[in-house]
Amino acid sequence: MIPRALAALFPGGVVEVRALGDYATHSGYFDDFARLAAAAEALDADPEVRGIYVTLNEVDPALLARRANRVKMRLSRSDATTADADIVRRRWLPIDLDPVRPSGVSSTDAEHAAALAKADEIALWLSERGFPAPIRADSGNGAHLLYRVDLPPDDEATALVKGVLATLDALFSDEHVTVDTANFNPARIWKLYGTLSRKGDHTPERPHRRARILSAPETAEVVAPDLLRETAALLPVEAPAPAKGSKTDLTAWLSEHGIAVRSTRPWQGGTLYVLADCPFSTAHRDGAFAVQFPSGAVYAGCHHASCGGGVQRWPELRDRYEPKQQKRREVPPPPPKPPAPDPAYREKALAILTRGDPRAFLLDTFNREHVGDRTVAECLVMSLASQSVENTNGLHVSVSGTSGKGKSHACTTMLKQVPTGYRLAGTVSNKALYYNDDLRPSTVFLFDDVTLSEDLQEVLKAATANFRERIEHHTVSPDRKLQVCRIPERCVWWLARVEDPGDDQVMNRMLTVWIDDSAEQDERVLRHMKEREAREDDGDDEDPDLPVCRAIWEVLKEERLHVSIPYAERVHFSATTNRRNPGMLFDLIKCHALLHRFQREAYDGGIRADRSDFAAAARIYAAINGESGGQETKLTKNEAAALETVATMGWEQFTVKMLQDALGLSYQQTYRILHGYASRGMTYSGLLEKCPAISYLDTMVTEDCEGYAVRRREHLFLFDRETYRRWARGGEVWIDEGGDRDDGPGPDRDDTFSISARFQQNFSTCRDRKKTRDGPETDSTSTDRETRLSLCTNLQQNTHPHSDTSPPASGCAGGCDMRDAENDPAMSPLRGDNPDRPPSTHPLNFSTFRKLLKTAERKGPTTLPGVLDHREFTRVSTDLGRCTVCDEGRAVYRSGDGRARLCERCYGRLVQAWNERRGIA
């Protein structure tokens, strides 16, 4: 433990170790850290030693000659220790959280836990301000935070560190835990982690504990001096000009107006009041303060950036609580109504809404300009429809994927269908909302590759949590004037980013969908681009259907409807860990019904959703929980591909290098996928935090290098296949057909069954695309109806519910054969040519599906000769001899027919090639 602490704290140089006892001090200087660790362990064994410490900052190397790599016991008065003048560079900003207790005794478990919790609170706040990850440590009685700095040992740097500690003390110290403000001098000594802290006697209530490092970044990033200055300047040092008139008694004023005070302390000759609740914002509680200086002047503010980051707000606070001085706020006039659409466009829009398929019309118009990404488009359409549903919490969309793959183009293409009055022109910067006075209800906000600041995230959380209500956000303009930003009700937010926003509270409020960045999609986009460039006209004319799309939305926005789901109590979910996701499915059902509002059964003030609305919503829900998104798991596309690759390879243990070779990514990319990373003040979680099936061990491995044994650290990752299986099945929904209530159109009541969301998704796609896929035969006698239905694979998304991998491109693993879809009588219900069944009802009953299975069984599977598919191989433990491909490695995978045998390396190449075809990057 001591060597690990030394490696984390010191890159090298000279370090003084100092042991403090009741009657003597022992000290030594070391540049040999192995000898330092041995000396510290010997001192730690002495019960007379109360604590062992080291100098944190860089010591003048000449001091090694005082006691070179040795400890002198019982220093005399003539034996010098390290002074401030002996420090040549500041290396660390030390933050010590000490629980309040009698002096000379150890802390209780409760006091100790309070200090650790306070350290987490401060680390989170500093992270939000842009500080990198610190070293978190347990001092034995309290908690430590160490931030890497690079400062000279001069008076200016000392004042800067002192100012940061004073700010943290003022904002976070309370009656239970305090921030030690005395740790500002350069030669300050610090607890050596791995040694015992002996304050007072060891008792069960107040035990002696060993100091230890709790967490440390791989590489400690240096805190920028500007961040230190901003933090030190949050609280006023000089008093503002006193207000005219009588002196305000701030204690009495706060009590009179019901503003609770958490704590008070002296400050710059006056008194600092830390408020229990922030009076400037409802988005947070902590952070507000007020100071009364000896002159009587008052300064009030809040350390949160969304509240001005500590700027003077006392005049605003006084105006708010003193009615006589409060100014009447003018109510802005309502925004003008958007112009009415052209009657011809409106007439066509009404015809589509009453007799056609508005959803298909909107999506087809979208796909004429943007190729593919149908699921992305569907999510955006449903988001727009949610603005007109009375009983919805709104649907917001986060589109993520590799840079340059069309995220922005997809969102801007769909934005063209929105009436001009209901969209923000162009993309939106993270400051635009503060200065836009023309926002109207049901506006669409598009944030294109914009880093969400803390301020904007607070606005987004409040706006999405209060979707049906108008909210007010108070901020401060550049000239330090209060500015009120009004976010109207029923606005939807679209985020297009390379990475997910990172904040779980933001992501849980959004439909998370991935852009299609596969090689096949690249080819489709290139082909579309070539066709467009080959045209002889300029190609810049607006699509003639775009005005019709806008007219459709104009009609739908004219009134808000309540949508009921009669069968809602019988909808079941395979996972309900995230309680917002079921609500999103129900909102998808309501939004699809709203698009077809003129074709749905109406009641006073609303409409009823039917089974086709469930089928469409369930298909989207399954897609964003599978190949097109990580709604339940919150995985990025690369993370999902990494898990699927590990499962495919059959690994129970693997390293970063093994996964890197299989994915074809760089080592750093693969490391980030597993561990996560921090960037620009945002923390992005990795698979270790997201997926319970992944864990790792920090091990030492020995390798033979030219006759020498070399030991190195290695992260060995463990994969629990069964846990992954259970955890990954998060997107399946179905209807329990029990009961005899009539809930609208649906399958024949004499032959009903559970409708699986995956089944709905697959057969809807089979019907639309009429593609051919053959797969493994299914024993119809050994599977129940639900299992057989779930075997029908999603042809569009290329997923399979019962295997690690996608089925072969030649057929559907469930036996759904669409080659004769145009002629097979059994496909009549799917083609919609059954006169006895309305086109809006679910078209397939169990007897029809049985006919499809028998047709597929007669034709048998289709194979691709001469092509190796890694999904046909299984890992075995028996001796198979050499690999039949490279004829070098030991074969560990065998094909289904037993003719091909692959080694680990060749099998990994097959997986990597498969990943490249799917666009993993």
Side-chain angles (χ1 to χ4, degrees):
M1 192 179 294
I2 294 177
R4 180 194 172 201
L6 295 173
L9 294 175
F10 307 111
V14 174
V15 177
E16 180 193 357
V17 60
R18 196 180 307 171
L20 305 181
D22 290 334
Y23 307 105
T25 299
H26 321 302
S27 169
Y29 289 85
F30 293 83
D31 62 358
D32 185 335
F33 289 169
R35 296 178 67 178
L36 191 158
E41 289 176 357
L43 290 170
D44 193 42
D46 184 354
E48 297 297 325
V49 172
R50 296 303 181 187
I52 302 175
Y53 303 84
V54 289
T55 50
L56 275 179
N57 295 315
E58 189 174 341
V59 175
D60 185 349
L63 268 62
L64 179 66
R66 286 179 176 174
R67 295 174 284 278
N69 291 308
R70 66 182 180 88
V71 172
K72 181 176 181 180
M73 307 297 289
R74 300 182 177 275
L75 296 184
S76 65
R77 291 185 179 181
S78 61
D79 292 318
T81 57
T82 306
D84 289 344
D86 299 323
I87 300 299
V88 298
R89 200 72 183 169
R90 281 185 180 268
R91 183 184 289 120
W92 294 102
L93 167 67
I95 302 174
D96 182 12
L97 289 309
D98 203 25
V100 177
R101 65 191 190 282
S103 62
V105 297
S106 298
S107 61
T108 65
D109 290 342
E111 292 167 345
H112 184 234
L116 294 174
K118 183 68 69 174
D120 291 340
E121 182 183 349
I122 293 176
L124 177 61
W125 181 74
L126 290 174
S127 174
E128 291 171 349
R129 297 190 60 81
F131 277 61
I135 292 178
R136 299 172 186 247
D138 178 353
S139 66
N141 288 308
H144 286 169
L145 295 173
L146 286 172
Y147 288 89
R148 183 79 168 87
V149 297
D150 187 13
L151 298 172
D154 55 17
D155 293 341
E156 181 181 351
T158 299
L160 183 58
V161 173
K162 189 175 182 179
V164 172
L165 296 178
T167 297
L168 296 177
D169 173 48
L171 297 178
F172 293 98
S173 291
D174 54 29
E175 64 274 18
H176 302 295
V177 181
T178 61
V179 177
D180 191 345
T181 57
N183 291 316
F184 58 84
N185 64 305
R188 176 65 53 174
I189 56 175
W190 200 250
K191 180 77 69 177
L192 176 58
Y193 304 121
T195 62
L196 201 61
S197 178
R198 299 184 180 95
K199 278 199 174 182
D201 290 342
H202 175 83
T203 66
E205 184 180 356
R206 297 185 178 275
H208 293 164
R209 302 182 188 89
R210 193 168 297 278
R212 59 195 178 95
I213 291 179
L214 300 177
S215 66
E218 290 286 339
T219 302
E221 297 182 29
V222 175
V223 181
D226 288 344
L227 276 178
L228 298 174
R229 295 187 187 97
E230 291 173 7
T231 305
L234 279 178
L235 294 177
V237 178
E238 300 180 357
K244 296 181 180 180
S246 60
K247 178 180 177 181
T248 300
D249 183 345
L250 188 55
T251 301
W253 191 93
L254 293 171
S255 176
E256 178 184 351
H257 293 92
I259 300 177
V261 176
R262 191 182 72 188
S263 62
T264 61
R265 63 173 56 86
W267 180 263
Q268 302 297 323
T271 305
L272 170 68
Y273 301 80
V274 179
L275 306 184
D277 295 290
C278 179
F280 308 109
S281 173
T282 59
H284 52 263
R285 296 189 59 185
D286 64 319
F289 62 88
V291 180
Q292 184 155 41
F293 289 88
S295 64
V298 176
Y299 191 105
C302 177
H303 67 66
H304 282 285
S306 58
C307 283
V311 299
Q312 168 69 299
R313 300 188 68 177
W314 167 243
E316 173 198 340
L317 186 63
R318 188 170 185 175
D319 286 348
R320 181 178 300 180
Y321 283 92
E322 295 181 358
K324 292 181 180 179
Q325 300 179 10
Q326 188 173 9
K327 298 179 180 179
R328 179 177 297 175
R329 294 185 175 90
E330 297 182 0
V331 179
K337 292 184 178 180
D342 185 278
Y345 295 138
R346 184 179 178 87
E347 182 178 353
K348 185 174 181 181
L350 286 171
I352 295 172
L353 286 168
T354 54
R355 299 184 299 275
D357 188 344
R359 172 181 148 277
F361 181 83
L362 295 169
L363 295 177
D364 291 343
T365 304
F366 169 86
N367 279 136
R368 280 198 293 274
E369 182 173 348
H370 183 93
V371 179
D373 293 314
R374 194 82 165 184
T375 303
V376 174
E378 285 183 298
C379 290
L380 297 175
V381 167
M382 295 302 173
S383 174
L384 291 171
S386 70
Q387 297 177 317
S388 301
V389 179
E390 180 64 35
N391 56 323
T392 182
N393 293 320
L395 292 174
H396 314 275
V397 184
S398 173
V399 184
S400 63
T402 308
S403 178
K405 294 297 186 178
K407 300 180 302 298
S408 303
H409 189 263
C411 292
T412 54
T413 299
M414 185 58 71
L415 199 64
K416 294 178 181 179
Q417 299 186 10
V418 181
T420 305
Y422 294 98
R423 54 178 162 167
L424 232 58
T427 56
V428 185
S429 72
N430 62 347
K431 298 280 186 173
L433 295 181
Y434 302 153
Y435 308 104
N436 194 321
D437 297 326
D438 299 326
L439 297 180
R440 66 175 70 244
S442 300
T443 300
V444 178
F445 300 140
L446 170 60
F447 286 80
D448 181 18
D449 280 333
V450 174
T451 299
L452 297 182
S453 63
E454 177 190 356
D455 199 6
L456 189 55
Q457 287 191 46
E458 294 295 337
V459 176
L460 176 54
K461 292 175 191 176
T464 53
N466 301 278
F467 177 71
R468 308 178 203 176
E469 302 173 1
R470 163 180 161 175
I471 67 167
E472 290 187 352
H473 177 71
H474 298 265
T475 186
V476 179
S477 63
D479 57 354
R480 296 191 173 185
K481 296 293 182 68
L482 174 66
Q483 185 168 346
V484 180
C485 173
R486 294 176 176 86
I487 306 294
E489 66 275 12
R490 296 190 170 271
C491 295
V492 294
W493 301 65
W494 296 352
L495 307 181
R497 299 202 55 205
V498 174
E499 293 285 354
D500 293 330
D503 191 308
D504 288 342
Q505 294 187 48
V506 173
M507 292 301 298
N508 285 339
R509 290 169 165 83
M510 315 198 82
L511 297 174
T512 56
V513 58
W514 303 327
I515 207 74
D516 185 357
D517 50 11
S518 65
E520 292 80 0
Q521 174 70 356
D522 292 339
E523 294 174 1
R524 287 192 292 267
V525 172
L526 180 58
R527 186 164 56 250
H528 176 76
M529 192 180 301
K530 290 178 178 179
E531 292 172 356
R532 183 169 183 173
E533 294 299 327
R535 292 167 55 181
E536 295 185 357
D537 56 7
D538 55 18
D540 293 331
D541 295 336
E542 183 179 73
D543 190 308
D545 283 341
L546 276 177
V548 181
C549 295
R550 298 184 192 117
I552 289 175
W553 291 117
E554 290 281 2
V555 171
L556 294 176
K557 289 177 182 294
E558 288 178 353
E559 59 179 324
R560 297 192 182 105
L561 291 177
H562 186 282
V563 181
S564 70
I565 306 174
Y567 46 83
E569 293 182 0
R570 285 175 280 161
V571 175
H572 296 275
F573 298 81
S574 61
T576 56
T577 305
N578 188 327
R579 297 183 181 180
R580 285 192 174 96
N581 285 344
M584 287 185 176
L585 174 72
F586 290 132
D587 283 346
L588 286 170
I589 295 173
K590 297 171 189 175
C591 294
H592 190 271
L594 187 280
L595 285 173
H596 301 79
R597 53 168 293 193
F598 298 110
Q599 305 173 33
R600 295 294 179 263
E601 181 183 355
Y603 60 89
D604 186 18
I607 58 175
R608 294 186 178 91
D610 66 16
R611 292 293 185 77
S612 64
D613 299 320
F614 171 79
R619 179 172 48 79
I620 298 173
Y621 189 78
I624 62 177
N625 278 285
E627 286 290 320
S628 294
Q631 188 68 35
E632 182 72 29
T633 62
K634 302 306 175 190
L635 297 177
T636 65
K637 190 169 186 179
N638 279 353
E639 289 169 345
L643 284 176
E644 189 174 351
T645 298
V646 172
T648 301
M649 298 292 287
W651 291 331
E652 295 182 357
Q653 300 178 355
F654 64 94
T655 63
V656 177
K657 185 66 170 62
M658 292 168 62
L659 185 58
Q660 175 197 359
D661 293 340
L663 291 176
L665 304 178
S666 68
Y667 185 91
Q668 186 64 21
Q669 284 178 296
T670 310
Y671 184 89
R672 286 185 169 191
I673 288 173
L674 293 166
H675 286 276
Y677 63 99
S679 176
R680 298 180 181 178
M682 296 290 295
T683 300
Y684 298 92
S685 302
L687 288 179
L688 282 172
E689 183 173 340
K690 292 181 179 180
C691 179
I694 297 285
S695 59
Y696 87 102
L697 301 174
D698 195 354
T699 62
M700 296 293 295
V701 297
T702 303
E703 295 180 347
D704 183 66
C705 183
E706 297 181 356
Y708 294 93
V710 178
R711 300 189 69 198
R712 61 178 177 83
R713 289 180 59 187
E714 180 72 87
H715 284 183
L716 182 64
F717 294 86
L718 309 179
F719 180 73
D720 189 323
R721 188 184 187 89
E722 185 58 33
T723 301
Y724 171 64
R725 280 279 167 270
R726 294 193 301 268
W727 176 76
R729 292 180 65 253
E732 295 181 357
V733 293
W734 65 93
I735 294 179
D736 182 1
E737 293 291 350
D740 17 43
R741 286 174 295 179
D742 185 8
D743 50 10
D748 297 335
R749 308 303 296 178
D750 295 335
D751 192 16
T752 58
F753 52 87
S754 297
I755 303 176
S756 164
R758 193 179 297 276
F759 166 76
Q760 295 279 8
Q761 177 186 13
N762 299 336
F763 262 88
S764 176
T765 308
C766 292
R767 177 192 60 197
D768 293 341
R769 290 194 159 193
K770 300 181 179 63
K771 284 189 175 181
T772 300
R773 277 188 147 182
D774 298 326
E777 298 180 357
T778 307
D779 183 0
S780 60
T781 63
S782 61
T783 52
D784 58 17
R785 291 180 174 183
E786 178 59 26
T787 305
R788 296 179 66 194
L789 295 178
S790 66
L791 284 174
C792 179
T793 303
N794 177 356
L795 300 184
Q796 181 183 19
Q797 300 299 337
N798 200 28
T799 60
H800 192 292
H802 297 296
S803 69
D804 303 341
T805 62
S806 302
S810 57
C812 173
C816 174
D817 193 300
M818 295 295 145
R819 284 176 291 189
D820 297 332
E822 297 296 335
N823 303 316
D824 192 342
M827 296 303 294
S828 174
L830 292 180
R831 293 197 305 269
D833 54 5
N834 186 346
D836 298 327
R837 187 182 302 279
S840 63
T841 64
H842 184 271
L844 192 62
N845 58 28
F846 184 67
S847 60
T848 304
F849 183 67
R850 185 164 50 235
K851 293 178 183 178
L852 297 179
L853 287 179
K854 290 181 178 179
T855 301
E857 290 168 0
R858 289 196 304 268
K859 295 180 179 180
T862 301
T863 59
L864 296 177
V867 177
L868 286 179
D869 190 328
H870 73 277
R871 292 163 293 186
E872 299 175 359
F873 286 78
T874 56
R875 190 182 185 98
V876 296
S877 58
T878 57
D879 186 7
L880 300 177
R882 290 187 178 183
C883 173
T884 55
V885 175
C886 66
D887 197 30
E888 294 180 357
R890 185 174 69 88
V892 291
Y893 293 90
R894 181 171 56 195
S895 62
D897 57 11
R899 290 182 294 179
R901 303 180 303 277
L902 297 180
C903 63
E904 192 86 45
R905 183 178 182 184
C906 291
Y907 185 76
R909 288 176 178 174
L910 286 182
V911 175
Q912 180 178 346
W914 179 62
N915 284 333
E916 291 173 352
R917 289 196 300 272
R918 298 172 64 232
I920 296 170

